Each structure stands twice: as structure tokens, then as C-alpha cells.
């Protein structure tokens, strides 16, 4: 008797659950999964929000792939979503957002107001890419690029590929927030731009707290990147006027970085960044013979010199913008007492700090060509 | 009573799984808020008072020669005094069980079913808990072995996070920028609660005193898991960010990425249901044990039914997660009461009993 009652109760509950959960159902054909969100500055206190939603339309026997582009101006992102939602036949969902893009005009004033919803909304993944663009985000998103995937997908795949190849630092929302909250490090983001009929990677956007301060060019990104994190792969090319090293391309870069902090006689902090890297030569144009170990070590020294020079240039630029993107502050902080750290004017100190770069390279092999 | 006995290892796992639960998702934030930089060290310090507390509980078993806690209390303390104590203890334990489930369900709602009423989700979990608890303590403990095995499979995930773990982020400061150590102590102590239920296991445990050590084992497992999660959180995020994350562990799970499945955190969070079943179930079971002592004539399954039904109604009152956390802040004191005052009372009862024997 009790058993039968149990079965009956369970059945009623199941019915209750299934009927009440129907409010949370999403029918794929009626849902618009936003893939890309873009923000432009419209005027003083309004932003233009652009959404890109991939659509698959099936009519009769024909299947069409397209992006639905929605745009509206509003005071906040979520307000815009309500306005945008009135313009589409689909229920807008943010669970599949892959890329969030900001125009530099917005980023310059600070992203703090926009960060709130990104942190609060549990449907927005912390693996979303953060992209800064110099031109209008709306213009980039609202056009199609011939010979490339649909725009939203194009941007997403372009960045993912670069992340995987480790040619650019992997900056997703998680990394941005993490460094934003860290008092010894400033966040960064990646940039893209239009280049003719295509899109291309445009360098690293440097932030101080939540404000965009400047950028590194794509050529500088490799040198920044080896100071920013350890590498397991990646390639880079060095060109110079020297006859010994007109051009070298290293592949399969493996690098380790280490930051050491010490004090000089005057009591100022000095940072030494040690970079160790190795790779295999893919291309070499120069008058040396790589089979000889003397020539090889000469080339290694030339490489070291070059890397040190370029890295120091990048560091100077970072210091000029007062953006501690490498996280020197974390290391200085860990050397200080709590009181000393809180009392020290770190931003000033950082701008004037002596930061030296030391590089040590090793050529693992020189490929199939024995010369 | 059946001849079946709880194996000591089962007891360790039971204690471990009763202690861990939703609290694991919140703990790194609690620790960061109250203890500040490198606050995870506080968890190690917490080990000492809890060990002392467990020793207090085990001393009741040793001195009482394995008699049930109710028998011990009855032998020395008059019934009219025990009645209100049992009433408060029984309802308190039931409320803990109820809120644990409520909290789990509300986070579930936030994550996956934003439009579904949380009370419906709670009803479903409640039914599973009811079905589990009515199978009796032996079967609960057997099911628990399997549940713990499921939960432990998540531990290797921590290796994935090692890649993004950086010790320089943890800073070299200790306990700086914390809010209120006293409050933090009570909150973190509260997150270890669950071991006090071993008080009710006396008559069901295997003979001898060997099993008492396994309460410590269960508690050590909890400390290790808490430490693992909190330390990783401190190096994966940083302390300042932790303060602003409602559920740090969920955010960390959210960063996991497998090529074959998106949004693993929803799946992993659902897996924690097995931990909630035991945490909620054990509190309801203990509450039932207390009330059965009060009303021995009513079959214990009916007692359980009434206890669960009445807490289900109370569960309508708190409407938000913050309210539930506030309720927990009050209930912690009751749990502390069960963990400290009840064993002390039992020891007193034993003393009185001894005194009486001597005089007799």
C-alpha cells in the first residue's frame, strides 16, 4: 500500500517538475544564440550595441547560413538587450557568446561599468574572448568578408588559432578580470583591425586598471609574449642588417621566463627579467655555417642581443604608458612588507624603475639542410 | 535492532560527505573575505579546535561504554529538562538539512533553470532524500561509499588548473585586509560541521573503540579537500577577485574546457547532488532520531515524513540565497551547541550517574 502511494507521489512530482521546467525550455529554432557582442561610443553617456547572431535558415530544400545583425543605442548593455530583443523574432540568449568587442573610445574611459554584467551573468562564460578595436565595432561586425567564414565565427576562429599557436597571449575574460583585481599587475586584451578585405590581428591593448592606455604593435607582441608567459610552441623571425644574420626563423619555441627583484645601493628596486628559450631553425639567411658549433653559438649570441634589445624596447613602452602588464609589481610586492607596499607609490616607482632583460637562447637543431 | 553494524571506514566516508557540500563552492570566498591574503592558512589552524571537539565527542562514547547518546542523557538528566533540549535540537538539525538542500537548489536554479520555481526543484531533491533516508542508516552509508567515489573522481581535475596556477599571485602577505577574524572563525568552523552527527551513530557503529579514530580520518579528508580547493583558488584567481566571486569553485569549473562538451560546470555542479543527498539526509536522519526519542510510539518513517514536511513549509520563507546564508549564520550556533553542549551534558549525565551509583 505504502509502496503504491510512493509511486503515485513520485509520479505527481515528476509531472510537476516537467510542467514547471517547460518555462526554461529553449527550442533551437526559436532561439538566437548571440555569438559576438560589440560596443561603440555613441555620445557622452550612450553606447551603440551590436549583436551578431548566427542563423541557419531552411526554406524548402535550401539551407542558408547567415548572421543576423542587431544594433541599438542604450545606456547599458543589458538595457540594449531589451531594445534589441524587440527587433528579432528569436529569444536572445547569451550562453554562447564567444567574443566581446569594445571600441577604444569606450576602453579609454574605462571598462568598469561594462564589467559588472560580464561578471554577474552566470550564462556568460569566463572563456569569452575580449577584443579591442580602433575603428567602429559596428562596421567590422556588420559586413561580410569574402572568402572567410561568417564574421562572428571568423573573429572567434582567428583568435582561437592564434591562441593555440601561442603567437599571442591567451586573454579571455577570466585572465582580464584576474589581472584587473591584482594590485601588482595590469590587464591586457587583444586587438584586431580591418585590413583591406580581411581582418587581421592588430596587437595587444594595454590597460591601466580598467582604462585603455596604448597598444603594442603585432611585431612587438612576440617579445612581449615571452616576457608575459612561458611558451610551449610558436615561431618568430628576426631580420637585421648584419651579414651573419640577415634573417632567421625559429620554430617550436620553448621559453621560460623568470623575474628577479633586487635593491641597489640607493635603495631603489631593480627588476631583472631572465628569458631562456630554444627552438629549431627553419630558415637562415647569412654567411655562417650552422653545422659548426662556433658559428652556432655566435648566432645564439646575436639572437640574445636582438631579443634583449627588442624586449627592452617593449618594456620602455610599457613603462611610458604606466601599464604593468608583465606583472613586475607582483614580484616587487612579494619582496616588500605589507605596510611598505601599501605606502609605496607603485605607479610612480614602476614608471621610473630600472628593468633589465637577459636572454639565453639555444638552437635545438637546424633542420634538414646540413649547412 | 539489526545485527548489521557500520564499518569504521564507512563512518569516515559518511563524516566526510556530511561535512562537504555546497559550502565547498562558497568557502574560498568566505576565507578571502574574512582572512584576507593567504587566508587558506586559517583552514590549517581550524584543524586543532575541530580535533579537540571530536575528542570531546569520542570521550562520551568511551566513558558511556558505547551506549546511545539518548540513553546516556536519560540516565543522568531529568526528562523535563531534556524535552526542550530535544525539541530545539531536533528542529535545528532538520532546518540545517532543509537549508542545505534549499541552498543547493537555489544555485541550481541560478545556473540552469532561472524560470523554474526553486521550491519545485527542492521538492524533487527532498523526495530523493526521503527515499534514501527511509532505507535506514546502513543503506545510507553503503550508498555513500559509491557517492564519495564519484566525488573523488573530481580531484584529478585540479591538475588541469595547475597550468593556470601562479604562486606569485598568492602574495607574501598573511591575513592582511581580512574583515572580522572572529566572525570568520565561526563561519569557517561552521563549514566543517557534520562531524557532530557522529554523536547519533554510537549504537550503530561496530563494537570497540577503533572506529572513533575514523571520525578523525573523515574530518582530515574534509580538511584536505577544502585546502586543495582554497589553495588552488588563491593561485588561480587572486585574493581580491575571490572576494567578488559568489561561487569561486563554479567559476573555476566554468574555465574548464573539453572539446566534446561545453559548459562542464553545470554537469559538475549536478554531480554534487550526491553530496547534498548525504549532507541533507544525515541531518534529517539525526533529527528523526531525536524526535523518535521524544515520541517513541510513532514509527520512525512517519516521524521523518512529518519532520521533512514541516521544514518544507518553512523553506518557503527564505526567498534569496543571501537570506539562506543569513539563516545559516544563526544555525551555526545551534550546530555548535550540538557539537559542544550536548557532549558536555552527556559527560555531566555520566558523572551524575556515577555519583548515584556510588551513593547507592
Amino acid at each position: 500500500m505504502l509502496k503504491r502511494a510512493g509511486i503515485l507521489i513520485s509520479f505527481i512530482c515528476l509531472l510537476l517538475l516537467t510542467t514547471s521546467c517547460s518555462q526554461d525550455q529553449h527550442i533551437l529554432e526559436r532561439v538566437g544564440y548571440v555569438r559576438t557582442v560589440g560596443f561603440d561610443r555613441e555620445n557622452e553617456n550612450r553606447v551603440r550595441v551590436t549583436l551578431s547572431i548566427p542563423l541557419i535558415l531552411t526554406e524548402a530544400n535550401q539551407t542558408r547560413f547567415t548572421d543576423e545583425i542587431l544594433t541599438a543605442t542604450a545606456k547599458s548593455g543589458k538595457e540594449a538587450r531589451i531594445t534589441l530583443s524587440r527587433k528579432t523574432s528569436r529569444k536572445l540568449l547569451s550562453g554562447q557568446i564567444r567574443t566581446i568587442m569594445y571600441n577604444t573610445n569606450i576602453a579609454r574611459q574605462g571598462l568598469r561599468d561594462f564589467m559588472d554584467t560580464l561578471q554577474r551573468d552566470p550564462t556568460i562564460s569566463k572563456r569569452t574572448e575580449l577584443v579591442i578595436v580602433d575603428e567602429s565595432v559596428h562596421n567590422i561586425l556588420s559586413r561580410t568578408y569574402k572568402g572567410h567564414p561568417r564574421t562572428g565565427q571568423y573573429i572567434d576562429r582567428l583568435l582561437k588559432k592564434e591562441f593555440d599557436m601561442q603567437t599571442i597571449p591567451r586573454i579571455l575574460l577570466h585572465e582580464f578580470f584576474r589581472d584587473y583585481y591584482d594590485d601588482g599587475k595590469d590587464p591586457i586584451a587583444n586587438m584586431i583591425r580591418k585590413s583591406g578585405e580581411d581582418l587581421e590581428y592588430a596587437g595587444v591593448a594595454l590597460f591601466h586598471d580598467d582604462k585603455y592606455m596604448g597598444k603594442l604593435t603585432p611585431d612587438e607582441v612576440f617579445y612581449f609574449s615571452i616576457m608575459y608567459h612561458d611558451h610551449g610552441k610558436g615561431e618568430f623571425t628576426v631580420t637585421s642588417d648584419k651579414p651573419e644574420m640577415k634573417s632567421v626563423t625559429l620554430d617550436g619555441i620553448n621559453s621560460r621566463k623568470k623575474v628577479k627583484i633586487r635593491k641597489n645601493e640607493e635603495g631603489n628596486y631593480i627588476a631583472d627579467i631572465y628569458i631562456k628559450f630554444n627552438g629549431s631553425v627553419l630558415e637562415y639567411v647569412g654567411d655562417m655555417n650552422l653545422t659548426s658549433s662556433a658559428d652556432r653559438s655566435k648566432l645564439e649570441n646575436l639572437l640574445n642581443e636582438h631579443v634583449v634589445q627588442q624586449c627592452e624596447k617593449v618594456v620602455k613602452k610599457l613603462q611610458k604608458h604606466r601599464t604593468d602588464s608583465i606583472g613586475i609589481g607582483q614580484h616587487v610586492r612579494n619582496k616588500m612588507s605589507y605596510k611598505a607596499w601599501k605606502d609605496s607609490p607603485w605607479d610612480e616607482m614602476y614608471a621610473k624603475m630600472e628593468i633589465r632583460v637577459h636572454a639565453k637562447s639555444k638552437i635545438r637543431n637546424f633542420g634538414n639542410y646540413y649547412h | 535492532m539489526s545485527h548489521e553494524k557500520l564499518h569504521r571506514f564507512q563512518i569516515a566516508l559518511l563524516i566526510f560527505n556530511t561535512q562537504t557540500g555546497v559550502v565547498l563552492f562558497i568557502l574560498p570566498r568566505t576565507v578571502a573575505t574574512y582572512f584576507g591574503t593567504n587566508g587558506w592558512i586559517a583552514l590549517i589552524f581550524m584543524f586543532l579546535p575541530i580535533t579537540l571537539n571530536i575528542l570531546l565527542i569520542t570521550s562520551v562514547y568511551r566513558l558511556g561504554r558505547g551506549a546511545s547518546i539518548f540513553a546516556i542523557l536519560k540516565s543522568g538528566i531529568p526528562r523535563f529538562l531534556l524535552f526542550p533540549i530535544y525539541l530545539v535540537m531536533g528542529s535545528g538539525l532538520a532546518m540545517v538539512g532543509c537549508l542545505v538542500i534549499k541552498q543547493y537548489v537555489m544555485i541550481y536554479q541560478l545556473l540552469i533553470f532561472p524560470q523554474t520555481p526553486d521550491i519545485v526543484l527542492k521538492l524533487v531533491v527532498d523526495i530523493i532524500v526521503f527515499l534514501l533516508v527511509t532505507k535506514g542508516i546502513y543503506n545510507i552509508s553503503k550508498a555513500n561509499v559509491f557517492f564519495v567515489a564519484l566525488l573523488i573522481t573530481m580531484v584529478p581535475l585540479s591538475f588541469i588548473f595547475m597550468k593556470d596556477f601562479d604562486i606569485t599571485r598568492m602574495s607574501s602577505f598573511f591575513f592582511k585586509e581580512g574583515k572580522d577574524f572572529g566572525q570568520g572563525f565561526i563561519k569557517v568552523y561552521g563549514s566543517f560541521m557534520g562531524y557532530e552527527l557522529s554523536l547519533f551513530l554510537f549504537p550503530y557503529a561496530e563494537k570497540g573503540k577503533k572506529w572513533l579514530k575514523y571520525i578523525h580520518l573523515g574530518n582530515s579528508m574534509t580538511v584536505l579537500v577544502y585546502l586543495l580547493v582554497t589553495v588552488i583558488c588563491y593561485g588561480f584567481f587572486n585574493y581580491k577577485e575571490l572576494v567578488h566571486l559568489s561561487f569561486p569553485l563554479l567559476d573555476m569549473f566554468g574555465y574548464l574546457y573539453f572539446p566534446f562538451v561545453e559548459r562542464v560546470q553545470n554537469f559538475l555542479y549536478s554531480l554534487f547532488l550526491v553530496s547534498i543527498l548525504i549532507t541533507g539526509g544525515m541531518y534529517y536522519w539525526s533529527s528523526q532520531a531525536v524526535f523518535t526519542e521524544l515520541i517513541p510510539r510513532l514509527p520512525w518513517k512517519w516521524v521523518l515524513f512529518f519532520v521533512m514536511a514541516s521544514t518544507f513549509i518553512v523553506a518557503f520563507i527564505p526567498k534569496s540565497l543571501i537570506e539562506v546564508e543569513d539563516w545559516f549564520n544563526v544555525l551555526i550556533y545551534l550546530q555548535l551547541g550540538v557539537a559542544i553542549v550536548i557532549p558536555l551534558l552527556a559527560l555531566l549525565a555520566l558523572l551524575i550517574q556515577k555519583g548515584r551509583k556510588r551513593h547507592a
Side-chain angles (χ1 to χ4, degrees), chain A residues 24 123 127 175 178 338, chain B residues 115-116 127 177 238 255 263:
Chain A
D24 274 316
T123 60
R127 297 189 64 88
E175 281 84 4
R178 186 191 65 200
Y338 178 72
Chain B
Q115 310 288 335
T116 307
I127 289 166
E177 299 179 18
N238 51 59
Y255 195 71
R263 290 306 163 101

Side-chain angles (χ1 to χ4, degrees), chain B residues 304-346:
Chain B
L304 178 72
F305 178 78
F306 287 126
V307 165
M308 290 191 73
S310 43
T311 52
F312 185 78
I313 294 164
V314 182
F316 273 98
I317 303 171
K319 294 269 185 272
S320 70
L321 266 169
I322 288 290
E323 275 172 69
V324 174
E325 273 195 42
D326 288 343
W327 282 43
F328 264 122
N329 290 344
V330 178
L331 280 174
I332 285 176
Y333 293 100
L334 192 122
Q335 285 177 295
L336 278 173
V338 176
I340 298 167
V341 179
I342 298 295
L344 285 177
L345 266 182

Side-chain angles (χ1 to χ4, degrees), chain A residues 267-286:
Chain A
N268 294 327
Y269 283 97
I270 295 178
D272 290 290
I273 304 174
Y274 294 93
I275 300 163
K276 256 190 193 170
F277 68 101
N278 62 50
S280 41
V281 178
L282 265 195
E283 183 191 68
Y284 169 67
V285 184

Side-chain angles (χ1 to χ4, degrees), chain A residues 39-47 103 105-106 109:
Chain A
F39 296 89
D40 287 302
R41 170 74 52 212
E42 184 75 11
N43 58 38
E44 198 57 20
N45 48 21
R46 288 185 86 78
V47 287
N103 178 267
N105 286 334
I106 284 187
Q109 287 169 3

Side-chain angles (χ1 to χ4, degrees), chain B residues 26-317:
Chain B
I26 304 170
L27 187 68
R29 182 199 358 131
T30 316
V31 168
T33 312
Y34 291 99
F35 295 101
T37 49
N38 283 318
W40 55 272
I41 296 171
L43 294 178
I44 302 173
F45 290 134
M46 213 52 86
F47 194 61
L48 184 74
I50 292 166
T51 306
L52 288 177
N53 198 170
I54 295 177
L55 283 175
L56 180 70
I57 292 171
T58 53
S59 66
V60 174
Y61 180 84
R62 283 171 207 273
L63 295 174
R65 288 167 213 284
S68 95
I69 184 81
F70 302 116
I72 296 173
L73 286 170
K74 209 157 51 181
S75 68
I77 291 168
R79 204 174 153 74
F80 73 91
L81 268 180
L82 283 180
F83 185 79
I85 295 176
Y86 282 1
L87 202 64
V88 173
M89 182 163 74
S91 12
L93 290 173
M95 270 326 289
V96 174
C98 165
L99 287 183
V100 163
I101 298 171
K102 174 98 181 171
Q103 198 180 20
Y104 175 78
V105 155
M106 286 187 99
I107 301 177
Y108 207 79
Q109 182 198 32
L110 174 109
L111 276 182
I112 308 170
F113 297 117
Q115 310 288 335
T116 307
D118 55 319
I119 214 75
V120 176
L121 296 171
K122 181 167 187 302
L123 183 67
V124 175
V125 179
D126 272 353
I127 289 166
I128 307 175
V129 169
F130 181 75
L131 293 176
L132 177 73
V133 177
T134 47
K135 295 285 174 290
I137 186 72
Y138 302 115
N139 288 319
I140 296 177
S141 77
K142 278 181 225 158
N144 180 57
V145 175
F146 173 69
F147 290 168
V148 172
L150 256 180
L151 291 173
I152 294 291
T153 51
M154 281 192 232
V155 172
L157 284 180
S158 50
F159 288 110
I160 301 179
F161 297 117
M162 279 301 151
K163 210 171 69 224
D164 291 285
F165 179 88
D166 187 354
I167 202 154
T168 45
R169 270 197 279 279
M170 294 172 88
S171 85
S172 53
F173 310 138
F174 296 101
F175 301 135
K176 292 288 192 280
E177 299 179 18
K179 218 163 66 182
D180 179 349
F181 281 19
Q183 186 75 22
F185 179 83
I186 289 174
K187 280 209 170 185
V188 174
Y189 199 96
S191 58
F192 283 98
M193 280 298 161
Y195 63 85
E196 79 275 17
L197 300 187
S198 55
L199 271 176
F200 305 104
L201 293 178
F202 291 174
Y204 305 95
E206 56 176 41
K207 288 270 170 288
K209 290 168 185 167
K210 223 173 178 180
W211 71 274
L212 296 174
K213 280 189 195 129
Y214 283 74
I215 303 177
H216 291 286
L217 177 71
N219 183 49
S220 312
M221 281 170 72
T222 310
V223 174
L224 281 181
V225 169
Y226 282 10
L227 260 179
L228 181 79
V229 170
T230 319
V231 169
I232 292 180
C233 274
Y234 263 83
F236 183 80
F237 303 104
N238 51 59
Y239 125 79
K240 272 204 180 136
E241 187 179 9
L242 274 182
V243 175
H244 294 285
L245 295 175
S246 296
F247 313 106
L249 185 59
L250 270 183
D251 273 309
M252 210 155 74
F253 281 159
Y255 195 71
L256 277 179
Y257 168 78
F258 295 112
F260 48 88
V261 57
E262 282 276 335
R263 290 306 163 101
V264 224
Q265 82 261 43
N266 292 356
F267 170 72
L268 291 176
Y269 186 72
S270 307
L271 210 58
F272 262 85
L273 177 67
V274 297
S275 180
I276 302 308
L277 289 183
I278 294 298
T279 312
M282 278 307 287
Y283 274 99
Y284 274 129
W285 179 83
S286 308
S287 164
Q288 159 279 126
V290 176
F291 279 115
T292 311
E293 189 63 25
L294 272 179
I295 333 164
R297 248 176 296 169
L298 200 63
W300 72 271
K301 285 183 186 175
W302 279 106
V303 173
L304 178 72
F305 178 78
F306 287 126
V307 165
M308 290 191 73
S310 43
T311 52
F312 185 78
I313 294 164
V314 182
F316 273 98
I317 303 171

